[in-house]
Amino acid sequence: WLCGNHDPVTSCTRGAAHEWTLDAAGRRTLLLHGDRFDWFVQHTPALARLASWTGAAAGRMGASSVYAWLAAVDGWFNGHDRDPRRCAFVRRALALARARGASTIVVGHDHNPLLWHAEGVTLVRPGACDAGRLRAARVDLLTGEAALVDEML
């Protein structure tokens, strides 16, 4: 698997990769968790971990407003926007894909599903699996076609 901001032990002890690059049929696909595009995680890792654990605990205790507030603060720091044209996370991911010569980038981290085509790159953000819901993505490495999957389990 790919490690992200919640997997520091795994990446060190099990050698999990931070990203994969797959080349097939003349197309390059870059897969990564996406925490490298998160200002909060990169500049204040201890505080980001504390906020993550606090938000998760609050959610389990039914205090979803605490989680929502922490997510809003995180979004503000990271320049998240529902419009991908204005979202700093999306811009950073597309820039990395172009720099690596990838025509497709599959990136997670923020748990919000998105399929976006811009400047010759397809960005796929699968979302997350939670509360009996499967959010995932299918990417055909030969054609570059991508689709989001959103199903109730």
Side-chain angles (χ1 to χ4, degrees):
W1 74 81
L2 294 169
C3 66
N5 56 303
H6 298 292
D7 305 315
V9 173
T10 304
S11 64
C12 294
T13 62
R14 302 279 185 200
H18 287 276
E19 67 180 59
W20 291 339
T21 301
L22 305 172
D23 292 309
R27 301 182 59 80
R28 174 167 285 173
T29 301
L30 182 61
L31 299 100
L32 60 145
H33 180 261
D35 53 334
R36 74 177 62 188
F37 308 126
D38 186 319
W39 184 94
F40 209 47
V41 169
Q42 295 302 314
H43 293 89
T44 61
L47 189 55
R49 277 194 296 278
L50 176 63
S52 179
W53 285 101
T54 302
R60 283 192 296 278
M61 293 185 300
S64 58
S65 60
V66 173
Y67 180 82
W69 182 82
L70 289 168
V73 169
D74 180 59
W76 181 80
F77 269 101
N78 283 300
H80 285 298
D81 196 300
R82 290 189 188 273
D83 182 345
R85 293 169 293 192
R86 294 191 310 251
C87 182
F89 185 95
V90 169
R91 281 195 313 272
R92 292 177 195 128
L94 291 172
L96 179 66
R98 284 191 304 276
R100 301 281 176 82
S103 55
T104 304
I105 183 168
V106 180
V107 61
H109 183 65
D110 79 349
H111 300 197
N112 296 306
L114 175 68
L115 182 58
W116 181 252
H117 306 280
E119 303 168 32
V121 176
T122 299
L123 181 136
V124 182
R125 224 172 37 199
C129 299
D130 59 2
R133 181 177 219 141
L134 169 67
R135 290 187 181 135
R138 283 191 284 264
V139 179
D140 185 320
L141 298 176
L142 299 177
T143 66
E145 292 181 29
L148 294 175
V149 176
D150 190 348
E151 300 174 1
M152 294 304 292
L153 301 175

